[in-house]
């Protein structure tokens, strides 16, 4: 009967969950008094399971199942994030499709719609996670806007507000005209093919200079000699309809619409070329508004002509300059990107749509020197992909000082990164941390708990709806309309889910009094490196600020899952892998095992169907091994109840113990691929390829092998939970459906001692079988049964001859002490084998071997010529050289073997 993965997976998962096997007390009968806690990165309620999620959840499940089976009181905390921007965008689009704007509904009705949508769609990704077979404590599932976590968010905000770490003020922020303020990490910078506009800024009449070089440059470095500027103007004066006959400097910008906000032109005070210009003025094109030429060491004298324009309200660097020089800050568009009265006739146009019209008008009036194609980096909103603008707005900020304690603790070794190099990235980002903008211009999210009374008092309140102003006692106050950045609430995830700040909300259902004591700090975190700054760093400084201790002891950051060619997956590239499709096609176990085998610390994962097929072949291999064992017995005892007496049983038990030790060491060091590889090698190579085959010569060992195989299913369980559960019960003659205990709450295998002497003997047995097979292959008797083979070894293997005869297909094996004449001979490290040539025509064999020898000699000569060619070696890529060197070594090894075989036959 074939193994039906789909039926088994859905049936077993339901049983596990119904029996409470994912909960913290599921393994009470094997408890060791220790606890283990890991937090699920809460996926967006808008999301669907993607291959990156599948990797994260697989690795977390491996750790959770491993610790649960090892007797730890285990909490894998699940939950969903409310995803402020993404969720509001989804619901807004749904309403617009019905011809409804959210403003028509009002805030309260709109939020009702969002909650309705959340209830319908929020379970989709949870269903998908269950399909993957993961085992979090579902009864504790949290949502970042449930009652308890809402309380925790207000508690954290008020604590920081009262400590002076949350402030409100006019700052320059990243502004999306659709979604509002964004933090730095929420802006995606991409290459953009745009235009570079060279604009003429004419000097005011009293600003002329006798300098031979004024120059002309601004944002991106365009230089021009003063004399040539004047000549250039005079040559083109007939077309410069509204321009005066004064000299000009040239300012280059990719955003001509922002020049309306220029309030200065700037040079370096140490630049001798421009000292006479400092304090003088130029006029802005079309507007005629005068702006001053100022000096600031921020200007790089070697960049362009050393002259830049300053737009304090719409450029991050210019913002700092404006503050230093007390410049006017002119905001030229509103929150929706609509140009205002400062832009003259262009008022009312959207900033990007206005660009070509403004450039056209400037050109028609003689204010454009030239327009060039130009490639630069442009910031986009990570959610809606809108072009982001630097914009001055009154927002709430968490001050960067909040990170100081977390940085110190990490560098004292209180948290450790895997791979270790990520501490460098963490330090670099945290030490350059800017104040974090936490207010968002949304309706969906945690509304900022700050209230403004008509008496002028402002306060932060832990109550969701305070009854009166704490200063005047009145009730005429309003709440700040903005909501908090989603990452503010998810930054509290390691403590808020354990009850911190929850008050009494959801106590004894979603969290318990002892949780913080038992599960904080969390044992570890597993997530993708790409959210190190979005989420991991925020959890570290918010949690350490709140409770005085870092949230994780170990932080494992895995790489990205890419396609088989190493390309990043994207819908536009058409190379996205849908985990559910792969589960349907292969199985959850196969997807999990494939991802784990490919997950090498610090390396990108290259996903392919070829890798999935390898894992599928592995499941077929162990399934067929169970079929063979069950052909010889109806059930098998547990290993701890089985007495291993046979040499073959002792050998495989010793190898199993070595595998257990290796698997445990690698899981403990988060080398998941090495742990999976160790299990793969043991089950495929040692147990199936050799153990099963050798047992055909000693049926008395089958019962012992069955017990070892059962124990190996427990070892495999964290990686392949479904097939391991199924095969363990089949081998036991029990049924999970009928109430038998699940493997997932049995004790994980512990390494016993190794039997080095029995391993040495069986290694020699296997080496002897392989040697005889090679000798037979030389004389074209590969799979044929022969009458006799001769073996020469320093170790007496006569007790094991029945294994050798059966697997090498020899009726008899004779053990000898001297070289046997008249035979083809195979020499390995510890044994020599001989097969008599009497009656065998060696002529065609020698002809074949000599042809192989000639071919190999030609191949070797070709490779040696290439590698001895200095020009080739100097110019060839390193990987090509490495490939050729490896090919030369392989060819030389083959030639040596073929030559030895020829010599053996010719000397008969």
């Amino acid at each position: 009967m074939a193994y039906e993965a789909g039926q088994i997976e859905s049936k077993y998962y339901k049983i596990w969950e119904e029996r409470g096997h994912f909960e913290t007390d599921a393994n009470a009968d094997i408890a060791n008094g220790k606890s283990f806690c890991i937090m699920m990165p809460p996926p967006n309620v808008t999301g669907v399971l993607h291959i990156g999620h599948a990797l994260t959840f697989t690795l977390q499940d491996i750790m959770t199942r491993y610790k649960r089976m090892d007797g730890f009181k285990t909490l894998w905390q699940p939950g969903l994030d409310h995803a402020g921007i993404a969720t509001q965008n989804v619901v807004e689009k749904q309403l617009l499709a019905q011809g409804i704007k959210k403003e028509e509904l009002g805030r309260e009705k709109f939020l009702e719609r969002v909650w309705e949508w959340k209830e319908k769609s929020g379970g989709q990704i949870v269903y998908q996670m269950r399909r993957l077979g993961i085992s979090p404590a579902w009864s504790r599932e949290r949502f970042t806007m449930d009652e308890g976590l809402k309380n925790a968010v207000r508690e954290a905000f008020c604590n920081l507000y009262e400590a002076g770490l949350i402030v409100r003020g006019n700052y320059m922020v990243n502004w999306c005209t659709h979604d509002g303020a964004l933090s730095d990490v929420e802006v995606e910078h991409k290459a953009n093919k745009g235009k570079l506009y060279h604009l003429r800024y004419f000097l005011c009449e009293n600003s002329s200079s006798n300098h031979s070089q004024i120059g002309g440059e601004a944002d991106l470095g365009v230089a021009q000699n003063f004399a040539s500027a004047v000549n250039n103007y005079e040559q083109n004066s007939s077309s410069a309809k509204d321009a005066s006959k004064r000299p000009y400097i040239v300012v280059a910008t990719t955003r001509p619409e922002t020049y309306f906000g220029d309030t200065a032109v700037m040079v370096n005070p140490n630049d001798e070329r421009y000292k006479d210009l400092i304090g003088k003025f130029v006029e802005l094109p079309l507007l005629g508004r005068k702006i001053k030429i100022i000096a600031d060491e921020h200007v790089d004298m070697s960049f362009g002509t050393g002259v830049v324009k300053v737009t304090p309200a719409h450029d991050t660097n210019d913002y700092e300059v404006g503050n230093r020089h007390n410049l006017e800050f002119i905001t030229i568009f509103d929150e929706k990107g609509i140009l205002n009265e400062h832009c003259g006739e262009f008022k009312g146009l959207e900033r990007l749509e206005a660009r070509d019209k403004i450039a056209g008008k400037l050109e028609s009036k003689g204010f454009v020197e030239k327009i060039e194609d130009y490639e630069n980096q442009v910031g986009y909103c990570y959610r809606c992909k809108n072009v982001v603008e630097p914009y001055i707005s009154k927002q709430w900020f968490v001050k960067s000082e909040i990170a100081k304690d977390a940085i110190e603790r990490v560098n004292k070794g209180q948290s450790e990164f895997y791979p270790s190099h990520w501490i460098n990235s963490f330090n670099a980002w945290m030490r350059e941390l800017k104040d974090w903008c936490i207010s968002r211009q949304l309706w969906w999210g945690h509304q900022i708990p700050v209230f403004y009374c008509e008496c002028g008092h402002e306060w932060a309140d832990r109550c969701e709806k305070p009854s009166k102003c704490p200063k005047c006692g009145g009730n005429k106050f309003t709440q700040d309309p903005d909501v908090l950045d989603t990452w503010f609430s998810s930054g509290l995830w390691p403590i808020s889910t354990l009850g911190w700040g929850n008050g009494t909300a959801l106590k004894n259902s979603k969290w318990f009094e002892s949780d913080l004591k038992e599960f904080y700090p969390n044992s570890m975190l597993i997530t993708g490196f790409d959210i190190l700054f979005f989420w991991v760093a925020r959890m570290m400084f918010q949690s350490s600020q709140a409770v005085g201790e870092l949230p994780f002891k170990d932080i494992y950051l895995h790489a990205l899952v890419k396609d088989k060619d190493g390309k990043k997956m994207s819908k536009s590239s058409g190379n996205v892998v849908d985990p559910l499709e792969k589960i349907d096609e292969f199985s959850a176990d196969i997807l999990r095992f494939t991802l784990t085998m490919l997950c090498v610390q610090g390396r990108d994962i290259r996903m392919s169907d070829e890798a999935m097929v390898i894992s599928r072949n592995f499941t077929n291999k162990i399934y067929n091994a169970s079929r063979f064992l069950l052909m010889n017995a109806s059930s098998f005892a547990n290993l701890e109840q089985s007495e291993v007496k046979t040499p073959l049983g002792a050998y495989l038990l010793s190898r199993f113990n070595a595998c257990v030790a290796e698997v445990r060491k690698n899981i403990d060091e988060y080398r998941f691929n090495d742990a999976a590889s160790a299990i793969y090698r043991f089950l495929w190579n040692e147990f199936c390829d050799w153990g099963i085959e050798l047992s055909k010569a000693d049926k008395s060992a089958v019962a012992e092998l069955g017990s070892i195989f059962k124990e190996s299913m427990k070892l495999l369980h964290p990686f392949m939970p479904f097939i391991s559960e199924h095969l363990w019960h089949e081998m036991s003659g029990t049924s999970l459906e009928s109430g038998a205990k699940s493997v997932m709450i049995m004790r994980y295998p512990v390494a016993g001692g190794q039997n080095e002497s029995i391993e040495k003997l069986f290694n020699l047995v296997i080496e002897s079988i392989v040697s005889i097979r090679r000798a037979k292959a030389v004389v074209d008797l590969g799979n044929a049964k022969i009458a006799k083979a001769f073996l020469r070894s320093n170790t007496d293997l006569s007790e094991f001859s029945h294994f050798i005869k059966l697997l090498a297909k020899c009726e008899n094996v004779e053990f000898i002490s001297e070289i046997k004449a008249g035979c083809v001979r195979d020499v390995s490290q510890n044994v020599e084998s001989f097969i008599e040539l009497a009656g065998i025509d060696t002529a065609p064999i020698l002809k074949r071997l000599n042809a192989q020898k000639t071919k190999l000699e030609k191949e070797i000569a070709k490779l040696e010529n290439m590698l001895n060619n200095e020009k080739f070696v100097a110019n060839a890529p390193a990987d090509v050289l490495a490939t050729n060197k490896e090919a030369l070594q392989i060819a030389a090894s083959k030639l040596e073997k073929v030559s030895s075989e020829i010599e053996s036959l010719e000397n008969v």
Side-chain angles (χ1 to χ4, degrees), residues 560-580:
L560 298 178
V561 184
K562 297 184 176 179
D563 71 10
K564 63 180 181 179
D565 299 317
K567 295 178 182 177
K568 191 173 181 179
M569 293 183 185
S570 67
K571 290 181 180 178
S572 59
S573 299
N575 60 352
V576 172
V577 173
D578 183 338
L580 291 191

Side-chain angles (χ1 to χ4, degrees), residues 38-46 53 57 60 75-82 118 122 125-126 129-130 134 136-146 149 490 493 497 510 535:
I38 189 168
M39 292 284 158
M40 176 186 292
N44 290 350
V45 70
T46 60
H53 286 133
F57 297 150
Q60 289 190 322
L75 170 60
W76 181 9
Q77 176 65 55
L80 293 172
D81 190 275
H82 65 279
K118 180 264 175 186
I125 195 167
V126 172
M129 287 190 275
R130 284 177 161 91
I134 65 173
W138 286 120
S139 70
R140 290 176 174 245
E141 183 185 343
R142 304 300 297 268
F143 180 55
T144 49
M145 285 183 62
D146 69 31
L149 299 193
S490 58
W493 193 247
T497 54
K510 297 296 184 180
W535 187 49

Side-chain angles (χ1 to χ4, degrees), residues 702-714:
V702 168
E704 298 168 2
L705 265 61
S707 295
I708 295 168
F709 183 81
K710 278 180 58 178
E711 195 71 5
S712 72
M713 291 301 98
K714 289 162 67 176

